[in-house]
Amino acid sequence: MSDRDPKVRFEKVTKTYGTLQVLDSLDFHADNGEVVTVIGPSGSGKTTVLRVLMTLEDIQSGVIYIDGEPLNKMSRGGRLVPASKAHVRRIRAKIGMVFQNFNLFPHMTALQNCIEAPVHGKGVAKGQATTEALELLDMVGLADKRDHYPSQLSGGQQQRVAIARTLAMRPEILLFDEPTSALDPEMVGEVLNVIRDLARSGRYTILLVTHQMGFAREVSDRVCFFDGGRILEEGAPRDLLGDPRNERTRQFLSKVLEAR
Amino acid sequence: MDWRWDFTFDVVLPQLWAAAGITVYATVVSFLLALVGGLVLMTLKVSKNPVVSFVAGEFIEFIRSTPLLVQIFFLFFVLPEFGITLPPLTTGILAIALYNSSLCAEVYRAGLLAIPRGQYEAAVALNMSPRHAFRRVIMPQSLPPIVPALGNYLIAIFKETPLLSFVAVGEIMHASKLIGSEYYRFTEAITIAGIFFLVMSLVSAQLVRAVEQYVNRSILH
Ligand SMILES: Nc1ncnc2c1ncn2[C@@H]1O[C@H](COP(=O)(O)OP(=O)(O)O)[C@@H](O)[C@H]1O
Ligand SMILES: [Mg+2]
């Protein structure tokens, strides 16, 4: 790992489902502390980018690097060989993901959701994990809901607990897959506020998939337009969202803006 | 109706009491074996190896679609051909356990299939080991639907044990028939055997409900 290594780098990553090619020899990177928003039409492979990075999906070829270290491979005798489970777990510890549907554990309270992986996965002492989790719940504005089960929380509250749960593992890279798409409109703001704070803190490298163009413009350092499993255009949010070069980007943006 | 209390107390109850013990023993041991056997079969069936998974699936299907009595006879008469001679009670328990293993395997599988994919994915995203995820995330959520289904099999097994009388296991039905043919009186013995099954079924149902409530209380809210 050197300072010049990007935090995340995709090198010619190809992902197929059967005969459907979802990521097409994708090259992509995100620098340390960078906030990158991924936009694009439905089915263009946005979710897939996050899922292969989270190791929820295998890739058919290419290499994903985290801090210059391969994630899906490991070097042995100067050659890259398929990564062992232990290797994947070691590197994956740097990544956390927030899902569209929250995926909280329904049989655990908000607090239990947040301390489960630190205590039983990483071996953090329960007292310390609890202190940290309560700080995080406080940060997302839900300290008073610590003993509530997910079924007793609104969608917006559940998503904020899910963010706290992810942060409790102290990841360096945060993946958000349409974190507000499953929410009623009046709850979108409270979740975006939390993400905005995380983005501004500069402590995380963030990959965000969203259709909230206003929010993307506000928090991103860079916006990537995906189509057909590749990046068709990327740039500073003001340029890409304000004055796109590519015809398809233009079409997409006008459709999204019309729909609002 | 001609019911003789002295016969009931002097002959029927003492003999059936001992036989009832065998019925309960056969039920409990078969059930416990079926719980474990079901887990093994389910694990094989969801194996990533297609051959293992196929064979396990066909085996489960085969066991489920042949009558238990045929399987009991099969083990009883065919195992000795392979030089395996087991006491009738052991053979019978094995047959009932095997049959119910394949039913339990399906219960486990259905329980696991009911867990949304997002739960597994959240576990990966939190960097949990598969073992950790299963023990703390998946299993606690699949138990509440699994427990009542397994409980029904406990009661079903109980009612299947009379089949063992066909291979001369001295459980309660066999004992009743023996009393009947020895004294030419069936009424008392068969009636008491029936009452025994009724009472035990009610007791088991209560037991199952208690376990169910315990599981729900300690796992769900
Ligand atoms: N598990 C899967 N099996 C088969 N096809 C899939 C699967 N997941 C996604 N796809 C397909 O891959 C393409 C990209 O999906 P996705 O990354 O979810 O797109 P996006 O998030 O941009 O809408 C779509 O055509 C989708 O239908
Ligand atoms: Mg998507």
Side-chain angles (χ1 to χ4, degrees):
Chain A
M1 168 177 173
S2 82
D3 282 348
R4 281 184 324 226
D5 282 319
K7 193 73 186 172
V8 176
R9 184 157 69 88
F10 281 50
E11 189 182 84
K12 297 200 168 18
V13 170
T14 297
K15 167 74 196 170
T16 56
Y17 289 111
T19 56
L20 178 70
Q21 180 147 18
V22 182
L23 298 184
D24 178 8
S25 193
L26 176 71
D27 288 315
F28 169 82
H29 72 95
D31 289 326
N32 197 12
E34 196 179 15
V35 178
V36 180
T37 298
V38 176
I39 62 170
S42 174
S44 59
K46 307 180 297 295
T47 295
T48 305
V49 170
L50 301 194
R51 290 177 59 86
V52 298
L53 185 50
M54 194 66 257
T55 71
L56 295 172
E57 305 280 352
D58 294 331
I59 56 178
Q60 275 63 47
S61 65
V63 186
I64 298 173
Y65 294 91
I66 307 293
D67 288 325
E69 271 192 289
L71 168 68
N72 60 319
K73 304 271 178 185
M74 56 189 191
S75 48
R76 180 170 295 161
R79 286 194 321 123
L80 287 185
V81 298
S84 68
K85 287 182 180 143
H87 175 87
V88 170
R89 276 195 81 199
R90 183 171 67 79
I91 308 286
R92 188 171 64 193
K94 295 182 178 181
I95 312 172
M97 180 161 179
V98 174
F99 299 88
Q100 199 171 332
N101 297 313
F102 334 131
N103 295 343
L104 288 178
F105 304 134
H107 57 303
M108 299 182 193
T109 62
L111 178 61
Q112 287 167 342
N113 263 280
C114 292
I115 65 171
E116 175 60 33
V119 172
H120 294 98
K122 274 212 294 200
V124 179
K126 193 166 177 188
Q128 190 198 335
T130 303
T131 308
E132 289 180 18
L134 289 176
E135 275 167 25
L136 290 168
L137 285 174
D138 189 38
M139 190 193 86
V140 300
L142 291 173
D144 56 329
K145 299 282 191 262
R146 51 176 280 179
D147 295 324
H148 284 54
Y149 287 93
S151 59
Q152 301 167 317
L153 299 172
S154 73
Q157 292 170 334
Q158 288 187 55
Q159 191 61 302
R160 285 185 281 152
V161 172
I163 293 172
R165 176 178 74 170
T166 299
L167 296 178
M169 288 299 278
R170 298 167 173 256
E172 299 166 20
I173 301 161
L174 293 178
L175 313 179
F176 293 93
D177 187 13
E178 301 197 32
T180 58
S181 293
L183 299 179
D184 291 336
E186 76 268 22
M187 292 169 187
V188 169
E190 65 195 51
V191 171
L192 292 185
N193 286 341
V194 171
I195 299 174
R196 182 186 294 110
D197 289 345
L198 295 173
R200 290 201 175 141
S201 75
R203 290 184 12 210
Y204 303 100
T205 303
I206 295 181
L207 302 190
L208 167 68
V209 175
T210 187
H211 293 296
Q212 305 275 338
M213 294 305 159
F215 185 70
R217 184 187 285 241
E218 186 189 342
V219 301
S220 322
D221 298 309
R222 180 156 51 98
V223 178
C224 297
F225 175 69
F226 260 71
D227 197 25
R230 1 181 27 140
I231 298 174
L232 274 198
E233 185 173 359
E234 62 182 314
R238 202 182 322 155
D239 301 336
L240 189 127
L241 298 175
D243 180 25
R245 313 263 142 213
N246 190 294
E247 186 52 33
R248 292 198 56 99
T249 317
R250 249 178 235 281
Q251 282 173 1
F252 171 75
L253 285 175
S254 67
K255 262 191 219 146
V256 172
L257 295 176
E258 239 169 59
R260 300 184 56 193
Chain B
M1 195 178 88
D2 163 36
W3 177 284
R4 281 178 40 196
W5 286 107
D6 55 339
F7 177 67
T8 306
F9 282 107
D10 296 342
V11 177
V12 175
L13 281 182
Q15 293 199 25
L16 290 195
W17 180 248
I22 295 181
T23 295
V24 171
Y25 173 79
T27 303
V28 172
V29 175
S30 307
F31 181 61
L32 294 179
L33 286 176
L35 292 185
V36 178
L39 214 50
V40 173
L41 282 179
M42 187 273 294
T43 312
L44 293 177
K45 181 158 177 185
V46 300
S47 156
K48 290 211 180 79
N49 183 328
V51 178
V52 172
S53 160
F54 176 79
V55 171
E58 291 299 299
F59 181 77
I60 290 172
E61 205 44 49
F62 173 74
I63 295 276
R64 272 158 48 112
S65 44
T66 48
L68 176 54
L69 184 56
V70 173
Q71 293 170 24
I72 293 174
F73 276 156
F74 184 81
L75 288 189
F76 192 73
F77 292 110
V78 175
L79 278 187
E81 298 286 318
F82 291 93
I84 305 171
T85 313
L86 299 170
L89 179 59
T90 311
T91 312
I93 286 176
L94 277 183
I96 294 180
L98 197 60
Y99 182 74
N100 285 279
S101 293
S102 63
L103 302 180
C104 290
E106 288 302 310
V107 171
Y108 292 137
R109 207 169 67 91
L112 290 183
L113 284 179
I115 307 292
R117 255 179 68 159
Q119 294 291 303
Y120 293 91
E121 296 182 348
V124 170
L126 293 167
N127 212 17
M128 291 182 185
S129 67
R131 199 183 127 85
H132 175 190
F134 183 75
R135 247 173 32 85
R136 304 266 317 170
V137 175
I138 305 304
M139 204 175 66
Q141 292 184 65
S142 39
L143 274 186
I146 284 177
V147 166
L150 294 181
N152 286 338
Y153 285 132
L154 171 65
I155 296 166
I157 289 177
F158 200 54
K159 294 190 281 193
E160 282 160 8
T161 52
L163 291 176
L164 298 183
S165 65
F166 285 100
V167 290
V169 171
E171 50 66 63
I172 194 160
M173 273 317 290
H174 188 68
S176 308
K177 282 193 284 183
L178 281 188
I179 295 172
S181 46
E182 192 179 336
Y183 296 91
Y184 300 104
R185 296 191 57 85
F186 285 90
T187 315
E188 291 85 355
I190 300 289
T191 306
I192 287 183
I195 293 173
F196 166 76
F197 277 107
L198 178 66
V199 170
M200 288 306 288
S201 288
L202 292 176
V203 170
S204 316
Q206 281 306 319
L207 191 77
V208 169
R209 192 157 320 140
V211 173
E212 229 177 288
Q213 277 168 1
Y214 171 77
V215 167
N216 286 339
R217 219 176 321 111
S218 56
I219 291 174
L220 290 183
H221 33 282

